[in-house]
Amino acid sequence: MALLSFLGAARQVTGSCYLIETHDKKLILLECGMQQGGNHNDNGDENGNRSPFTFNPEHLSAVVISHAHIDHSGLLPRLVAEGYRGPVYATDATSDLLEVMLMDAAHIQEKDTEWENRWRARRGKRAIAPIYVTSDAVRVLKQRRPVAYGECVQIVPGVELRFHDAGHIIGSAIVELTFKEPNNSTRKLVFSGDLGSTCSPLMRTPTVLKKADVVLMESTYGDRDHRCNEDTLDELADILQQAYKDGGNVMIPAFSVGRTQDILFHLGRFYQEGRLPQQVVFLDSPMAIRANQIYFNHHEQFDEEHLTMLRKRNISTLEDWLPIVRQTPSPDESMAINRIKSGAIIIAGSGMCNGGRIVHHFKHNLWRSDCHLVFTGFQARGTTGRAIVDGAESVKVLREQIVVRAKVHTLGGFSAHAGQSRLVQWASEFDTHPEIYLVHGEMEKMEILQGILEKKLGRPVQIPEHGDRIAI
Ligand SMILES: [Zn+2]
């Protein structure tokens, strides 16, 4: 029988990573995510992203990635830097997005290390090397093996992989692995990946599966159903109306791939309905611009209702949907936005405002009481975004203390993760009474979900710890 070890995203939300050993000792890595958030320790290690793998990457036979978010894919370049030369299986859209995500992540690694080492040099500390560099990311891209939803591929002898739409971001997948045992029986593992929510209008409902022996399910919002309905959208529309009356600009920190596309979709809808008074929407994020292209390249994966609507109106680019959008990939185009004092919506990275182009827009807009700042995602402790949400009177931006006078709004409903009811529903659909293991969540939230599931299903639900090993 195959064994599965929980190496990441056990009782936490980042660093997704599971190692599977088949009955004939072949190793498959399911996910290779980066830990996110937290502080650097003295070795420059951010939450263990530098700690040695507990397996030898050279000994792996296959790697499977559920979707392109960095907490699921971000350590792939380190895996190849340490000797992995085999295939990286992901859906076609995820394979495309990996290029955007991993090249960006490698660039950030290189830049961050450069800064860190300058700081270290001044304190007489030894320099550190980046976790990985661009050439490692390039190498991963050559090892990609795109697989369409529903297609069945043998990834090692006796193990078949099939991806199903998880409805979270474009290309996101539920992973189904079928293991042929020596006695010719089969065992089925289903890993939910990140399951989508009702807040992502372009994404389909997560695929319902009926058969599994073991299920690993994410539990990010295991404790509640987040608000995502017309009220949230009306709130956003009202903020934009008010901002227009106030005469300044609106800043929206751009979140990871997925959220930004959702927001752009809603802005386009407001525009179509005559509810968007602003004259221009700047998409000032090279990563979001490239991700949009990938979304449109794979538009056949959009949900039926919106796909039909886009086809009917002959919409095949972002500009067709939101004619007032201006995409500004180059630094010069980005800087030109600084001259615009009113009537603009500026979407720029990073989502938690710890760097990226948004901080330049802070310098020009945050201190102005006629401007607005709209957060559409969670702000982690220690980030500039969190300080602003918590009511800081001023924040340090680009080595300058900037007073916060802009009106700050936090819209809670935009998560791309399934809420509690959807998780419970998805887990209840299996006909085969699989063992259920909750992953990718914070402990308190997982315990709430565990309680509800156990009551509904009438059998125990597990919350594995880091390092636990189970039989599939
Ligand atoms: Zn995700």
Side-chain angles (χ1 to χ4, degrees), residues 67 69 71-72 168-169 194 417 440:
H67 68 290
H69 277 153
D71 58 323
H72 297 257
H168 168 63
I169 60 169
D194 286 358
H417 283 273
H440 199 288

Side-chain angles (χ1 to χ4, degrees), residues 69-372:
H69 277 153
I70 282 300
D71 58 323
H72 297 257
S73 70
L75 284 188
L76 281 171
R78 210 190 116 198
L79 199 72
V80 302
E82 295 188 22
Y84 179 62
R85 294 289 173 270
V88 175
Y89 294 98
T91 65
D92 39 11
T94 297
S95 296
D96 289 351
L97 276 177
L98 279 178
E99 178 167 356
V100 176
M101 307 298 276
L102 297 182
M103 294 302 279
D104 182 72
H107 182 70
I108 290 170
Q109 285 299 325
E110 289 168 354
K111 285 279 157 217
D112 280 2
T113 311
E114 205 180 300
W115 272 99
E116 168 100 10
N117 282 340
R118 275 191 219 152
W119 177 87
R120 287 174 160 265
R122 290 195 295 274
R123 280 160 186 77
K125 291 179 176 231
R126 69 178 171 83
I128 54 162
I131 297 177
Y132 51 78
V133 293
T134 304
S135 56
D136 300 320
V138 170
R139 189 156 218 167
V140 175
L141 302 180
K142 291 187 184 136
Q143 292 171 227
R144 289 173 297 177
R145 295 287 181 284
V147 179
Y149 287 128
E151 192 185 334
C152 197
V153 281
Q154 178 170 276
I155 56 169
V156 300
V159 182
E160 284 181 344
L161 161 71
R162 199 195 291 255
F163 289 125
H164 305 273
D165 196 341
H168 168 63
I169 60 169
I170 198 90
S172 65
I174 297 164
V175 180
E176 179 188 328
L177 288 171
T178 309
F179 300 84
K180 195 175 259 177
E181 296 298 312
N183 62 4
N184 266 340
S185 66
T186 57
R187 296 285 292 172
K188 206 181 272 298
L189 168 74
V190 170
F191 167 52
S192 71
D194 286 358
L195 293 174
S197 76
T198 47
C199 319
S200 305
L202 296 174
M203 297 296 102
R204 296 182 180 175
T205 308
T207 311
V208 165
L209 297 180
K210 295 287 181 188
K211 280 194 182 131
D213 296 295
V214 174
V215 172
L216 310 188
M217 184 173 77
E218 71 123 321
S219 39
T220 318
Y221 282 98
D223 61 332
R224 63 192 156 106
D225 282 323
H226 40 69
R227 200 168 59 104
C228 180
N229 45 38
E230 287 301 314
D231 289 355
T232 315
L233 295 178
D234 287 345
E235 199 181 334
L236 176 60
D238 289 347
I239 292 168
L240 298 176
Q241 296 280 349
Q242 185 58 47
Y244 185 71
K245 282 186 204 136
D246 290 347
N249 293 325
V250 180
M251 295 166 281
I252 306 182
F255 258 91
S256 62
V257 172
R259 185 84 41 89
T260 304
Q261 282 69 37
D262 295 344
I263 299 288
L264 285 166
F265 178 85
H266 294 308
L267 293 181
R269 217 187 91 189
F270 295 161
Y271 178 86
Q272 312 281 338
E273 294 168 353
R275 287 206 284 168
L276 192 68
Q278 278 79 8
Q279 294 96 5
V280 58
V281 175
F282 289 104
L283 182 57
D284 190 27
S285 160
M287 187 151 113
I289 292 168
R290 289 200 299 276
N292 277 336
Q293 283 158 356
I294 294 170
Y295 264 69
F296 275 102
N297 290 348
H298 293 278
H299 67 273
E300 75 287 349
Q301 296 177 14
F302 290 172
D303 87 318
E304 295 300 337
E305 183 195 338
H306 290 99
L307 189 57
T308 312
M309 185 268 291
L310 295 175
R311 282 198 173 130
K312 241 188 220 159
R313 299 192 193 183
N314 236 341
I315 287 162
S316 56
T317 65
L318 178 60
E319 284 84 356
D320 293 340
W321 179 243
L322 179 60
I324 59 168
V325 75
R326 285 205 20 219
Q327 310 198 44
T328 53
S330 77
D332 283 351
E333 289 168 299
S334 173
M335 275 190 282
I337 302 171
N338 298 341
R339 292 200 295 271
I340 299 187
K341 301 297 172 212
S342 71
I345 295 172
I346 304 163
I347 302 175
S350 68
M352 299 198 198
C353 315
N354 253 14
R357 292 184 177 180
I358 192 76
V359 297
H360 292 271
H361 300 299
F362 277 3
K363 194 171 162 185
H364 295 270
N365 297 283
L366 193 62
W367 51 272
R368 292 172 50 194
S369 58
D370 56 353
C371 286
H372 290 245

